Amino acid sequence: MPELVVTALLAPSRLTLKLLRAFMWSLVFSAALVAAAVYGCIALTHVLCWPRRGCCGRPRRTPPACLSDPTLGEHCFLTLRSSGLRLHYVSAGQGNGPLMLFLHGFPENWFSWRYQLREFQSRFHVVAVDLRGYGSSDAPRNVDCYTIDLLMADIQDVILGLGYSKCILVAHDWGALLAWNFSIYYPSLVERMAVVSAAPMSVYQDYSLHHMGQFFRSNYMFLFQLPWLPEKLLSMSDFQILKTTLTHHKRGIPHLTPNELEAFLYGFSQPGGLTGPLNYYRNLFRTFPLEPQELATPTLLLWGEKDPYFEQGLVGAISSRFVPGRLEAHILPGVGHWIPQSNPEEMHQYMWAFLQDLLD
């Protein structure tokens, strides 16, 4: 068929897609402006309530002692083959079994896996990375350095760079979003997955379009589409919005100590420490609309019944995309978003049972 005819036949579809994307971006930025107004009022209220903290975050010059806890493992760096970036990771149990790779979420770092590092190092080589842009890992400033494709290449480089051909991938929040994608595009590198509190991007997209309540739960995502302003608002009154996110009596991490809170704030308080993590969100809508994808990697999915950020209905939506018999899903009653830190014992029980046949 002549190229001109093919172009003419495809023109209506291409125009429709462009119009759809233009409409989507207009909605995203409208929501971003509304979110900016709301979070701006919240940040200003914090400044007025605690004027001595000022309008900026206090830089932490010394990392808290818990980040150097020797029981969690050895601190190492790996230069990635694809990008040349250096990623920081904590490793324990090398030689004890298969690689178990942990991917953290926002606003966290490798330290969010402290309970799991202690629990599984006796039977696995456990490795918790600081994803690019976080903690001691390299943090390029450009938004284009945080696309999903580049972040998946990082995971591939970590697995192969550590000398393995596959791993057990354990992931939460943003790390889980990356893990879902990675299991689709690099299935040979993932033997099993344990995913906590996050849905695949295509599932989240389709579910949100039919359940508007999910958009309200994820309102912060729209704020993070804007340049520089989110960094400013999150740092005001010495990072009070982040502090509230992590320590709120209902939505935060139960029993988080001041020292553990500082383990997360330390990296964000460094110059440019918030820009890399927020650039993950600034790439979220670039691939809209996404095609439905079949999920086949054997996966343990843990979800909090009281998760304030993601509706419970997403679990059913995820299940509908799975090859039968490949997903084991559990909804934890009365539990929120931060399962690896709030309910480590329950998580460990489910994981040991899920992985038992690999250890026999």
Side-chain angles (χ1 to χ4, degrees):
M1 187 178 293
E3 185 178 345
L4 185 61
V5 175
V6 173
T7 302
L9 291 174
L10 292 177
S13 297
R14 289 171 174 168
L15 178 60
T16 300
L17 186 58
K18 287 182 179 180
L19 291 174
L20 181 61
R21 284 177 173 165
F23 178 68
M24 182 274 296
W25 278 111
S26 67
L27 291 179
V28 167
F29 281 109
S30 296
L33 294 176
V34 173
V38 172
Y39 281 91
C41 291
I42 293 172
L44 182 59
T45 300
H46 290 154
V47 172
L48 294 175
C49 290
W50 295 285
R52 291 186 179 181
R53 295 182 185 175
C55 295
C56 298
R58 173 177 59 84
R60 275 72 173 164
R61 303 191 183 281
T62 305
C66 59
L67 287 178
S68 302
D69 185 344
T71 67
L72 298 179
E74 179 185 2
H75 291 257
C76 310
F77 287 87
L78 177 67
T79 300
L80 303 179
R81 183 185 62 180
S82 301
S83 63
L85 296 177
R86 283 205 328 156
L87 291 195
H88 167 256
Y89 66 95
V90 174
S91 168
Q94 187 167 4
N96 290 348
L99 173 64
M100 181 179 286
L101 181 62
F102 296 95
L103 306 177
H104 64 80
F106 175 86
E108 299 171 287
N109 54 34
W110 72 267
F111 186 71
S112 63
W113 299 110
R114 58 196 178 278
Y115 297 107
Q116 290 71 40
L117 288 170
R118 292 192 184 100
E119 177 73 14
F120 293 101
Q121 63 181 265
S122 63
R123 300 297 300 274
F124 297 91
H125 178 197
V126 292
V127 172
V129 299
D130 275 332
L131 296 170
R132 73 160 67 185
Y134 283 85
S136 299
S137 292
D138 284 349
R141 301 277 297 180
N142 196 305
V143 176
D144 293 334
C145 293
Y146 295 87
T147 63
I148 296 295
D149 288 344
L150 291 176
L151 297 171
M152 286 194 298
D154 288 356
I155 301 171
Q156 178 191 34
D157 288 347
V158 169
I159 296 168
L160 300 180
L162 291 171
Y164 292 86
S165 59
K166 58 185 177 180
C167 75
I168 296 157
L169 207 51
V170 185
H172 173 249
D173 190 76
W174 244 109
L177 189 151
L178 297 177
W180 285 120
N181 258 45
F182 190 77
S183 70
I184 294 169
Y185 292 102
Y186 299 87
S188 64
L189 296 179
V190 186
E191 187 169 15
R192 298 280 178 91
M193 285 207 306
V195 174
V196 187
S197 308
M201 293 178 66
S202 61
V203 174
Y204 178 84
Q205 168 196 276
D206 293 348
Y207 182 89
S208 298
L209 290 174
H210 295 91
H211 300 82
M212 293 304 295
Q214 181 56 57
F215 274 118
F216 291 102
R217 290 189 182 218
S218 306
N219 59 77
Y220 56 91
M221 294 185 184
F222 299 106
L223 169 67
F224 295 167
Q225 302 307 307
L226 300 175
W228 70 264
L229 182 61
E231 285 92 330
K232 180 64 177 176
L233 295 179
L234 292 184
S235 65
M236 289 176 70
S237 192
D238 196 32
F239 304 98
Q240 185 57 45
I241 289 178
L242 291 181
K243 290 178 180 178
T244 301
T245 299
L246 293 168
T247 63
H248 190 274
H249 68 285
K250 289 185 177 180
R251 299 188 300 273
I253 303 169
H255 314 300
L256 191 70
T257 68
N259 201 36
E260 290 170 339
L261 174 62
E262 285 299 310
F264 297 121
L265 296 181
Y266 173 74
F268 297 130
S269 76
Q270 305 309 305
L274 280 168
T275 298
L278 293 178
N279 281 342
Y280 283 62
Y281 290 93
R282 291 172 178 139
N283 280 283
L284 260 181
F285 297 99
R286 290 192 174 193
T287 53
F288 177 88
L290 295 166
E291 292 294 326
Q293 294 162 314
E294 186 177 63
L295 304 168
T297 300
T299 300
L300 170 68
L301 176 63
L302 300 179
W303 205 274
E305 179 194 23
K306 300 295 185 181
D307 193 316
Y309 305 109
F310 298 111
E311 291 186 356
Q312 189 174 314
L314 280 164
V315 176
I318 295 169
S319 301
S320 68
R321 297 281 182 85
F322 253 92
V323 171
R326 297 292 181 89
L327 176 68
E328 178 185 327
H330 299 278
I331 297 174
L332 278 57
V335 175
H337 180 71
W338 314 95
I339 293 172
Q341 299 180 73
S342 65
N343 297 77
E345 294 85 1
E346 285 183 78
M347 179 175 176
H348 298 164
Q349 289 174 7
Y350 284 120
M351 286 182 63
W352 281 120
F354 180 67
L355 300 171
Q356 187 58 52
D357 62 303
L358 297 181
L359 301 171
D360 290 341

